[in-house]
């Protein structure tokens, strides 16, 4: 190997806050050769994004500082450069794409304006020339009919298309190095597969190097030549991808590789008592137009769906974002209004008013996706868990309530001594356990789990899945498990329905769906999720 | 069982009374030195002014007369008690003074004038200059025995001069400060309660409630307060509480928009949905989950509301539509300063007191804003 394109030597990053210095990145070194893809892998808080941002000096200085280290790009130290020199590198020789394409694009400018601006700024192109180049770039990143897209604003594009535009902007100046910071995390699995394929193709065609930051080992295996495993600001293991996956040396790498959700769901039992049955559930949002606000059309978020959730069983609801799966769950839990019959414990609850529903809420619990948003930041953990008890068991004395809180915290695997702390003092996984405890303390019979693992790191996901499975076995709970993550669904659900545009595409027992999918859409979804392969054009959205 | 009890018993610990978040806010407040000192100075001045009767009064605090301990500051004794015949005793009267001093003693407040006491012994025509501007001879020239008179003492000084009715300016400032601050605080508290409740209902329920209420507020706030005060002043006798009520009718709208926005934003937060899923009632959700969000904005606004209320009261007093004539008021002092340009001590005292009071409140407000600013880093 000749001189590496990028060479990070002994780099440290420290953040200073209120006189305290915390080290986010601790003496890391890695090299990146021309035409090579290196992946930085780690869980949240491992310092992988901070390392990538410090390559271009994009951290919030002077809060951030570099106590040691060099970032050599083509032999020059980027950390020693002044702003003017850096600008000639940023967006020119090294470009970056970020996780969330919506916030990375200016919402007030059209696609054409955003790309032309870069071309004019760095290459001094005239209008006509820049427009031609923009069209070529959009073609290259696989946007179909780019002429029609030039005048589109970011919100008029889908998430995948936005990410493609971001990539087009990054490629505009023919960079030598592309830094991709979790570029597919915000996207659906099928779109993720398309974007990764695009990136791999572009890289080999242009001879670029790529620094790829991700927490997803499946992606790493697919795209990277070499891997650096990071934890707590240190690189613990570096090596070619194949070797790392075949023969991990460091304990943390082994832990990470073993972290995928495992285990089998309880055996399907079609004779178990149905707890929740929905027939022909419809949630339509009217589109109103004109002076008299007459309804001209409906957004059919959920369009005639039948579901049955049985005691001790899990129904998994799978679908891409916008497929209506969360809306279905909220409709079943009577959080939004719907038409159709919803039977809970044999009685129709879809006509009950908000107040008439309140006694039933105890048996019908929800765990939300975001453990940071679903816990009130101003209440301590015990207050959060107690809240339901105060309503549904008002006769309990404070001590009896406290005993119940302690018991449920032990059940979800948290130390009861921490119950007077506030949510921000807990990690994401612990917070999700608190949210589960809040639902479990009421002894519900039906729990709707709305993407409860999506915001969590892989290894924590596995623990939460195990916890949910144990709780289900112990209390004979019925779960409606909503997720876009097929790996988690496979580990937990014994029945699955696949949703798309508010309708059921395919429904059946879990093995059947995963082993012998019938429809093209389900096949595409499964190959994208487990093998990161793209489907033929037209089957899935882009 | 006993073992389990032993396990849980020691963990039943009391929570600290300030949550970590509030402790951080207090630290941030203290970090703004100017605001922190302003708070203490303001509190000290306010507490002192609450005891204005013990600082500036035309009646002694305690008197001892013929074997009896009297509290003239709190109890109105008829003059018969001291051998006179009026219904109310004038303790500044030389006859009464000599009578009491002959049969006991009196403890006077440091300033022997109340806000409405007329000083009959000013050396010049009213308004008279501050006493320290005169020499002893001139200062006491109006007493029967001149400089040798027992009334020619520091307690009878007019430290900041007198106004055009020969009343002590310092005493009027002390009482005027108290009434201004009390008015501001009560008005702010009242309009906060109404404003927060109205904003909360609008933001939480949204839709038609919100729409109708907003239009009502727009029309309501278009009514000119000054003309209304003029009309009401023609019908009702002017007074502290009538003025307060009238201003409250219009001042509550200032907080509505802020609180409404907070509630609109937060009502779809996931933890609010989670509470709804637990079966928590609307009232409890509003009080327990949403109100704390809105309190940040409300508390940040409050010092500014207090200072705005005070300056409104002052300007109404200045125009003559405020508190009833004779009340100690800072606005009236400014009015006198305007009509007596030859007496600069009136204008200077009024200006210094009002600007000091408003500046302190604004500094406290700035520090409060810092305290609740989540992006404010420790320095």
């Amino acid at each position: 190997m000749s001189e590496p394109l990028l060479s990070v030597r002994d780099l440290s990053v420290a953040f200073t806050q209120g006189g305290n210095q915390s080290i986010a990145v601790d003496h890391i070194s890695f090299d990146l050769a021309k035409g090579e893809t290196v992946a930085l892998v780690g869980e949240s808080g491992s310092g992988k994004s901070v390392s990538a941002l410090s390559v271009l000096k994009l951290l919030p200085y002077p809060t951030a500082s570099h106590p040691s280290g060099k970032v050599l790009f083509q032999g020059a130290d980027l950390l020693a450069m002044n702003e003017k020199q850096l600008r000639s590198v940023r967006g020119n020789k090294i470009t970056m794409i970020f996780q969330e394409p919506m916030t990375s694009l200016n919402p007030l400018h059209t696609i054409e304006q955003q790309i032309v601006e870069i071309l004019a700024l760095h290459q001094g192109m005239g209008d006509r020339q820049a427009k031609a180049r923009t069209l070529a770039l959009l073609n290259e990143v696989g946007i179909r009919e780019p002429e029609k897209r030039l005048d589109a604003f970011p919100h008029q594009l889908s998430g995948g298309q936005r990410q493609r535009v971001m990539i087009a902007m990054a490629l505009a100046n023919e960079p030598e190095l592309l830094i991709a910071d979790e570029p597919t995390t915000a996207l659906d699995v099928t779109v993720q597969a398309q974007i990764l394929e695009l990136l791999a193709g572009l890289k080999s065609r242009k001879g670029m190097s790529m620094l790829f930051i991700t927490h997803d080992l499946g992606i790493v295996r697919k795209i990277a030549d070499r891997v650096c495993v990071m934890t707590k600001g240190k690189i613990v293991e570096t090596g070619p991808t194949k070797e790392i996956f075949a023969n991990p040396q460091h304990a943390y790498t082994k832990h990470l590789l073993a972290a995928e959700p495992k285990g089998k769901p309880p055996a399907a039992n079609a004779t178990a008592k149905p707890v929740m049955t929905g027939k022909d559930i419809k949630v339509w949002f009217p589109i109103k137009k004109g002076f008299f606000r007459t309804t001209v059309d409906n957004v059919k978020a959920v369009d005639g769906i039948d579901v049955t959730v049985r005691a001790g069983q899990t129904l998994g609801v799978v679908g891409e974002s916008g497929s209506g799966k969360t809306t279905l769950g909220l409709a079943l839990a009577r959080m939004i209004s719907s038409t159709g019959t919803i039977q809970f414990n044999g009685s129709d609850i879809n006509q009950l008013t908000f107040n008439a529903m309140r006694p039933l809420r105890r048996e019908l619990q929800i765990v939300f996706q975001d453990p940071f948003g679903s816990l009130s930041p101003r209440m301590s953990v015990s207050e959060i868990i107690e809240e339901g008890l105060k309503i549904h068991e008002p006769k309990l004395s404070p001590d009896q309530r406290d005993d119940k809180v302690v018991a449920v915290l032990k059940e979800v695997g948290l130390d009861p001594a921490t119950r007077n702390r506030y949510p921000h003092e807990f990690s994401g996984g612990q917070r999700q356990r608190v949210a589960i405890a809040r639902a479990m303390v009421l002894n519900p019979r039906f729990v709707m789990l709305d993407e409860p693992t999506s915001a969590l790191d892989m290894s924590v996901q596995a623990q939460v899945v195990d916890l949910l499975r144990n709780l289900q076995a112990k209390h004979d709970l019925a779960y409606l498990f909503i997720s876009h993550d097929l790996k988690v669904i496979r580990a937990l659900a014994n029945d699955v329905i696949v949703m798309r545009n508010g309708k059921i595409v395919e429904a059946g027992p879990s093995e059947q769906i995963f082993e012998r999918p019938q429809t093209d859409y389900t096949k595409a979804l499964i190959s994208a999720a487990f093998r990161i392969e793209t489907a033929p054009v037209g089957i899935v959205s882009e | 069982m006993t073992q389990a009890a032993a396990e849980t018993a020691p963990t039943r610990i009391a929570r600290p009374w300030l949550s970590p978040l509030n402790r951080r806010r207090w630290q941030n407040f203290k970090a703004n030195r100017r605001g922190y000192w302003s708070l203490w100075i303001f509190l000290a001045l306010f507490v002192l002014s609450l005891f204005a009767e013990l600082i500036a009064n035309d009646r002694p605090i305690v008197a001892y007369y013929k074997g009896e301990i009297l509290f003239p500051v709190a109890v109105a004794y008829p003059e018969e008690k001291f051998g006179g015949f009026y219904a109310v005793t004038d303790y500044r009267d030389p006859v009464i003074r000599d009578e009491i001093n002959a049969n006991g003693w009196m403890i006077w407040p440091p300033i022997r004038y109340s806000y409405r006491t007329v000083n009959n012994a000013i050396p010049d025509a009213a308004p008279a200059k501050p006493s320290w501007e005169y020499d002893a001879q001139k200062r006491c020239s109006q007493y029967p025995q001149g400089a040798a008179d027992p009334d020619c003492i520091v307690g009878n000084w007019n430290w900041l001069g007198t106004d055009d009715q020969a009343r002590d300016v310092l005493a009027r400032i002390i009482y005027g400060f108290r009434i201004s601050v009390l008015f501001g605080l009560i008005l702010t508290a009242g309009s906060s309660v109404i404003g927060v409740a109205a904003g909360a209902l609008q933001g939480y329920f949204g839709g038609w409630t919100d729409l109708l209420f907003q239009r009502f507020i727009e029309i309501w706030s278009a009514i000119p307060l000054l003309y209304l005060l003029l009309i009401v002043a023609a019908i009702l006798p002017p007074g502290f509480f009538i003025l307060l009520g009238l201003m409250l009718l219009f001042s509550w709208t200032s907080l509505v928009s802020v609180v409404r926005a907070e509630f609109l934003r937060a009502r779809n937060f996931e933890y609010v949905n989670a509470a709804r899923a637990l079966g928590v009632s609307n009232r409890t959700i509003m009080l327990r989950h949403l109100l704390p969000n809105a309190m940040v904005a409300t508390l940040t606004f409050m010092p500014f509301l207090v200072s705005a209320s005070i300056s409104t009261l002052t300007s109404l007093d200045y125009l003559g539509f405020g508190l009833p004539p004779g009340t100690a008021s800072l606005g009236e002092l400014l009015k006198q300063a305007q009509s007596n340009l030859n007496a600069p001590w009136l204008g200077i005292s009024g200006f210094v007191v009002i600007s000091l009071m408003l500046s302190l409140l604004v500094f406290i407000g700035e520090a409060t804003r810092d305290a609740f600013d989540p992006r404010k880093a420790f320095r």
Side-chain angles (χ1 to χ4, degrees):
Chain A
M1 203 160 50
S2 61
E3 169 91 344
L5 181 71
L6 178 76
S7 174
V8 174
R9 289 275 142 258
D10 203 30
L11 176 72
S12 299
V13 182
F15 288 95
T16 316
Q17 201 176 26
N20 304 323
Q21 208 181 40
S22 57
I23 305 285
V25 175
D26 192 6
H27 298 279
I28 63 162
S29 302
F30 63 89
D31 290 326
L32 183 60
K34 197 165 168 48
E36 192 184 31
T37 300
V38 170
L40 279 181
V41 192
E43 303 198 314
S44 54
S46 61
K48 54 190 194 303
S49 281
V50 172
S51 316
L53 288 171
S54 52
V55 168
L56 281 178
K57 272 184 93 169
L58 287 172
L59 292 170
Y61 303 97
T63 318
S65 58
H66 299 289
S68 73
K70 281 180 183 168
V71 177
L72 298 168
F73 178 71
Q74 294 177 326
D77 187 2
L78 294 177
L79 292 185
M81 284 185 181
N82 61 28
E83 273 296 306
K84 201 177 164 200
Q85 292 166 315
L86 269 173
R87 270 204 296 277
S88 67
V89 176
R90 279 182 198 155
N92 206 11
K93 291 178 180 162
I94 305 180
T95 55
M96 218 166 157
I97 51 178
F98 296 94
Q99 173 170 348
E100 184 45 78
M102 189 71 208
T103 48
S104 314
L105 290 169
N106 186 333
L108 299 176
H109 286 180
T110 62
I111 301 307
E112 182 183 356
Q113 283 172 320
Q114 318 214 16
I115 301 181
V116 165
E117 187 188 11
I118 297 176
L119 294 170
L121 200 69
H122 283 285
Q123 300 179 12
M125 279 193 190
D127 280 354
R128 193 167 303 169
Q129 204 186 355
K131 184 164 183 173
R133 175 87 175 109
T134 303
L135 276 176
L137 279 168
L138 290 178
N139 243 327
E140 202 166 358
V141 296
I143 290 198
R144 266 175 286 138
E145 300 185 273
E147 298 84 0
K148 289 186 183 169
R149 294 293 180 192
L150 280 177
D151 291 331
F153 287 93
H155 70 268
Q156 295 171 309
L157 303 178
S158 70
Q161 284 171 329
R162 282 199 286 267
Q163 199 57 286
R164 282 173 198 267
V165 171
M166 280 303 296
I167 295 171
M169 288 169 71
L171 292 178
N173 293 315
E174 308 266 332
E176 316 253 350
L177 170 64
L178 178 67
I179 301 177
D181 187 359
E182 306 250 12
T184 59
T185 310
L187 305 174
D188 283 321
V189 276
T190 51
V191 180
Q192 165 175 309
Q194 293 163 8
I195 296 287
L196 290 175
E197 195 181 65
L198 170 70
L199 281 176
L202 287 171
K203 194 203 82 172
S204 59
R205 248 180 295 154
K206 306 241 173 199
M208 283 189 303
S209 308
M210 194 149 66
L211 180 61
F212 203 97
I213 291 114
T214 184
H215 66 279
D216 189 333
L217 291 166
I219 295 177
V220 173
R221 197 198 292 249
K222 182 87 179 168
I223 200 165
D225 302 315
R226 286 193 308 122
V227 186
C228 302
V229 182
M230 276 193 87
T231 180
K232 292 172 190 163
K234 291 192 170 117
I235 291 185
V236 291
E237 194 165 0
T238 312
T241 308
K242 276 188 191 133
E243 269 178 41
I244 296 262
F245 275 85
N247 188 15
Q249 298 298 316
H250 194 271
Y252 180 75
T253 316
K254 288 179 191 166
H255 164 76
L256 213 57
L257 284 171
E260 294 212 334
K262 282 184 297 281
K264 283 235 174 319
N269 178 5
T271 59
K273 190 166 159 265
V275 175
M276 174 72 91
T277 319
K279 283 222 167 57
D280 198 28
I281 308 275
K282 283 181 186 160
V283 183
W284 288 8
F285 299 109
I287 304 170
K288 292 181 175 171
K289 274 212 174 116
F291 183 71
F292 292 106
R293 316 298 295 160
T294 42
T295 304
V296 290
D297 201 358
N298 289 296
V299 176
K300 298 174 180 174
V302 176
D303 193 14
I305 286 197
D306 299 338
V307 288
T308 306
V309 191
R310 296 173 191 280
Q313 306 264 295
T314 303
L315 176 68
V317 182
V318 194
E320 300 184 322
S321 55
S323 62
K325 52 191 193 304
T326 298
T327 313
L328 171 69
L330 291 176
L332 286 175
R334 293 280 284 110
M335 295 294 285
I336 53 175
S337 56
S338 60
T339 61
T341 50
I342 300 172
Q343 288 206 325
F344 182 65
N345 282 340
S347 55
D348 189 1
I349 60 165
N350 205 10
Q351 308 306 325
L352 298 179
T353 61
F354 181 81
N355 281 328
M357 270 305 290
R358 282 178 57 197
L360 284 174
R361 293 267 172 228
R362 155 169 216 172
E363 311 210 305
L364 199 160
Q365 279 299 308
I366 304 179
V367 175
F368 290 91
Q369 169 173 1
D370 179 9
F372 294 89
S374 67
L375 305 178
S376 172
R378 292 190 179 80
M379 289 163 74
S380 72
V381 163
S382 88
E383 284 171 325
I384 288 171
I385 298 175
E386 266 177 2
E387 186 163 37
L389 284 176
K390 282 185 182 159
I391 294 156
H392 296 290
E393 291 186 44
K395 287 186 190 127
L396 289 183
S397 72
D399 280 358
Q400 282 173 314
R401 264 205 309 273
D402 199 46
D403 290 342
K404 286 209 167 211
V405 171
V406 168
V408 78
L409 280 174
K410 278 184 189 157
E411 197 171 4
V412 298
L414 286 175
D415 180 5
T418 61
R419 68 186 179 284
N420 285 339
R421 298 201 189 148
Y422 287 81
H424 70 267
E425 296 170 72
F426 292 86
S427 70
Q430 287 171 323
R431 282 161 158 252
Q432 199 58 288
R433 282 172 196 266
V434 173
I436 293 170
R438 169 171 64 185
M440 292 305 163
V441 76
L442 295 172
N443 293 322
R445 303 187 44 180
F446 172 85
V447 184
M448 173 197 145
L449 300 141
D450 184 7
E451 307 251 14
T453 57
S454 309
L456 305 177
D457 277 326
M458 197 71 87
S459 58
V460 182
Q461 273 187 21
Q463 293 162 12
V464 170
V465 166
D466 287 342
L467 169 68
L468 287 172
R469 198 188 293 119
N470 293 340
L471 288 171
Q472 181 175 42
K474 201 165 152 194
H475 300 292
D476 204 28
L477 292 167
Y479 283 160
L480 181 76
F481 194 97
I482 295 164
S483 183
H484 68 277
D485 189 340
L486 287 119
K487 287 173 190 151
V488 179
I489 291 274
R490 186 161 69 175
L492 209 55
N494 39 24
D495 281 299
V496 176
I497 59 177
V498 183
M499 279 184 75
R500 191 184 190 196
N501 298 336
K503 290 202 162 72
I504 291 183
V505 176
E506 198 169 348
S510 166
E511 299 110 65
Q512 184 194 319
I513 299 273
F514 284 109
E515 305 303 329
R516 300 176 298 281
Q518 302 296 312
T519 59
D520 287 342
Y521 181 70
T522 315
K523 281 178 196 161
L525 212 56
I526 287 170
S527 67
F530 293 104
R531 295 184 293 280
I532 315 186
E533 283 169 3
T534 51
V537 171
I539 291 178
V540 293
S541 50
E542 55 182 68
Chain B
M1 190 60 222
T2 48
Q3 196 200 342
E7 248 177 56
T8 55
T11 59
R12 224 168 248 151
I13 36 169
R15 248 166 247 142
W17 67 279
L18 265 184
S19 73
L21 190 66
N22 285 335
R23 211 174 306 146
R24 208 196 80 147
R25 284 171 177 161
W26 179 238
Q27 289 301 329
N28 263 350
F29 187 88
K30 279 209 284 197
N32 187 329
R33 306 299 301 167
R34 196 171 57 186
Y36 183 64
W37 281 106
S38 296
L39 177 70
W40 284 116
I41 296 172
F42 182 79
L43 282 179
L45 289 177
F46 179 54
V47 170
L48 278 178
S49 79
L50 284 180
F51 297 102
E53 275 83 3
L54 304 184
I55 299 170
N57 210 340
D58 54 2
R59 291 186 274 180
I61 302 170
V62 188
Y64 181 80
Y65 178 68
K66 291 187 177 168
E68 195 181 353
I69 296 220
L70 304 171
F71 297 96
V73 73
V75 186
Y77 301 103
E79 216 181 40
E80 291 169 352
K81 202 171 184 74
F82 311 105
F85 47 87
Y86 289 119
V88 182
T89 315
D90 179 6
Y91 296 90
R92 294 176 51 78
D93 188 338
V95 179
I96 300 290
R97 180 195 69 204
D98 292 340
E99 169 71 14
I100 294 177
N101 280 340
N103 296 294
W105 42 261
M106 287 190 283
I107 298 176
W108 280 89
I111 300 163
R112 297 192 179 186
Y113 301 100
S114 180
Y115 64 94
R116 53 176 181 224
T117 316
V118 174
N119 184 0
N120 295 320
I122 47 171
D124 281 336
K129 283 191 242 178
S131 299
W132 41 266
E133 289 237 350
Y134 300 106
D135 57 33
Q137 282 305 322
K138 173 83 174 153
R139 186 165 54 231
C140 300
S141 56
Q142 296 298 312
Y143 292 118
Q145 301 165 39
D149 194 271
D151 273 336
C152 188
I153 50 170
V154 174
N156 273 330
W157 277 29
N158 296 121
W159 290 92
L160 298 176
T162 71
D163 64 4
D164 58 6
Q165 293 164 47
R167 297 173 300 195
D168 184 51
V169 171
L170 181 56
R172 288 185 71 75
I173 282 178
I174 293 170
Y175 283 86
F177 181 88
R178 175 169 75 173
I179 208 162
S180 297
V181 173
L182 279 178
F183 186 88
L185 288 178
I186 297 174
L187 184 62
T188 305
S191 48
S192 304
V193 169
I194 302 175
V196 167
L201 288 173
Q202 283 177 60
Y204 187 75
F205 291 109
W208 277 103
T209 321
D210 186 33
L211 198 74
L212 292 176
F213 235 118
Q214 282 291 301
R215 299 296 85 75
F216 169 73
I217 287 175
E218 273 161 26
I219 296 167
W220 190 248
S221 50
I223 300 174
L225 176 64
L226 190 60
Y227 297 117
L228 199 83
L229 283 170
L230 283 173
I231 297 165
V232 173
I235 306 164
L236 293 171
F240 182 85
F241 285 100
I242 286 177
L243 198 62
L244 189 74
L246 272 175
M247 287 182 60
L248 189 57
L249 278 182
F250 294 92
S251 67
W252 61 272
T253 50
S254 54
L255 267 177
V256 170
S257 55
V258 182
V259 176
R260 170 180 166 269
E262 280 298 324
F263 270 64
L264 272 178
R265 185 174 71 93
R267 69 172 173 162
N268 286 325
F269 274 6
E270 221 164 49
Y271 64 82
V272 176
N273 271 329
R276 249 181 235 138
L278 282 173
V280 182
S281 66
N282 283 336
R283 224 177 71 105
T284 318
I285 289 179
M286 281 159 82
L287 286 177
R288 195 184 298 156
H289 294 275
L290 292 173
L291 196 59
N293 282 317
M295 280 326 278
V296 172
T298 312
L299 286 175
T300 313
F301 244 69
M302 260 182 196
F304 300 107
L305 280 181
V306 177
S307 61
S309 314
I310 290 176
S311 38
T312 316
L313 177 73
T314 310
S315 52
L316 283 176
D317 279 344
Y318 174 75
L319 293 173
F321 302 121
L323 296 167
T327 319
S329 98
L330 300 173
E332 203 233 332
L333 184 64
L334 290 184
K335 195 165 117 190
Q336 289 210 9
Q338 190 205 18
S339 44
N340 297 288
L341 287 175
N342 58 328
W345 55 91
L346 295 175
I348 293 173
S349 323
F351 167 75
V352 168
V353 171
I354 292 170
S355 54
L356 177 76
M357 176 166 60
L358 297 183
S359 309
L360 287 178
L361 282 167
V362 169
F363 292 153
I364 296 170
E366 280 178 351
T368 320
R369 197 177 54 202
D370 283 359
F372 284 113
D373 185 353
R375 278 162 301 181
K376 189 101 184 165
F378 287 104
R379 244 170 296 148

